[in-house]
Amino acid sequence: MDLLQLTPHTKDLGGGFTVRRVLPSAQRQAVGPFLFFDHFGPITAHPSDNHDVRPHPHIGLATVTYLFEGAMMHRDSTGVVQRIEPGAINWMTAGRGIVHSERTPDDLRGVDRRSHGLQLWCAIPAEHEEDEPSFSHTPAAAIPSTELPGVSVRVMIGEAFGLRSPVPTLSPTLYVDLQLRAGASLQVPAAARERALYAIDQGVEFDGQPVAAATMVVLPEGATPTLRAPQAARVVMVGGEPLGHRHMWWNFVSSRKDRIVQAADDWAAQRFPTVPGETEFIPLPERRP
């Protein structure tokens, strides 16, 4: 089977905090609706480290935050304040415009703390790009799970393995967390039109073909290869229905390039809504779209 393998590039977000960015890539902008895939950590942050993300804007997309370790405090311009912890799914629909910050919770600032997780962006259907912004928190206990031979499965978004997630979406979307014990194998279901699997921590095999850790494999439509873990490994599967090409610049996504330009002008002129209690913000990049 011919596998498209995507390797991430490292992106420095400041303060010594780096991420592995897999999507978008030169070979592939998106898989299903997912057009941005960042893997951060695992790292140990110290009391002197500041990895806070100051208020910044989004349009035309949905952010999806999932933690393996650590915690962050989300605040946004709709007034939501939500502590994000491992196992929960946090889906923020930017719609016509939202501003949010992601900071270290106050109770963790004075101690060593672990940080490990995934930050993804989903395109949203063009008819919803100007929707009212919103935030949806689904706690870890509400995410359906099952045990297969040697494999723990959590269906965070969408439907697979006979499980259906309660997370609301705007188009068919799939997001699954797989934990395989050493030597375990699993037939990957054709649970969505487009699918990709990303090896979080260890190399795995697809029909005997080795794939390194921190690598994304894009599967051909309808393919059901056997995923095997020579060592205990964590793998996530993402996918869904494709939504077509999107224009992307900085934190903005749209089916229309002129809308990106308008959003940049609006942020520069401080016309976006503000986050209650926040006074800082990330300035617009000097180079405009």
Side-chain angles (χ1 to χ4, degrees), residues 14-233:
F17 190 57
T18 60
V19 299
R20 303 171 194 85
R21 183 160 296 168
V22 191
L23 293 175
S25 76
Q27 302 105 307
R28 187 98 183 199
Q29 184 189 50
V31 177
F34 291 97
L35 41 66
F36 185 92
F37 189 112
D38 269 6
H39 176 204
F40 58 88
I43 63 166
T44 298
H46 305 293
S48 60
D49 294 334
N50 180 7
H51 295 158
D52 285 4
V53 180
R54 294 168 293 160
H56 58 283
H58 292 288
I59 65 160
L61 57 83
T63 65
V64 186
T65 306
Y66 185 66
L67 298 181
F68 303 120
E69 296 181 88
M72 65 174 63
M73 190 63 74
H74 164 97
R75 292 182 176 86
D76 68 44
S77 52
T78 72
V80 168
V81 178
Q82 177 64 55
R83 186 184 179 103
I84 296 176
E85 294 186 319
I89 282 288
N90 292 270
W91 175 289
M92 184 182 75
T93 301
R96 63 172 178 260
I98 198 168
V99 179
H100 74 131
S101 63
E102 297 160 301
R103 297 186 182 273
T104 300
D106 289 342
D107 60 298
L108 298 181
R109 288 191 182 278
V111 298
D112 288 347
R113 55 196 183 273
R114 296 282 287 172
S115 182
H116 187 202
L118 298 171
Q119 180 79 62
L120 313 183
W121 293 357
C122 276
I124 56 179
E127 63 268 25
H128 290 290
E129 286 182 327
E130 298 299 321
D131 279 5
E132 186 81 14
S134 62
F135 184 87
S136 171
H137 171 77
T138 304
I143 301 296
S145 63
T146 191
E147 291 292 326
L148 302 177
V151 186
S152 299
V153 178
R154 304 184 81 230
V155 178
M156 285 107 72
I157 301 175
E159 190 171 357
F161 299 98
L163 304 173
R164 187 183 183 93
S165 169
V167 174
T169 64
L170 295 169
S171 67
T173 305
L174 181 68
Y175 192 10
V176 180
D177 184 5
L178 303 168
Q179 293 187 72
L180 295 88
R181 292 178 271 289
S185 61
L186 174 78
Q187 186 174 31
V188 180
R193 181 175 161 192
E194 293 188 355
R195 293 159 299 148
L197 291 97
Y198 177 81
I200 298 289
D201 51 3
Q202 298 288 345
V204 294
E205 298 172 356
F206 289 87
D207 285 346
Q209 182 175 340
V211 173
T215 302
M216 178 174 282
V217 172
V218 181
L219 300 182
E221 185 174 346
T224 58
T226 296
L227 167 66
R228 181 178 178 273
Q231 306 175 67

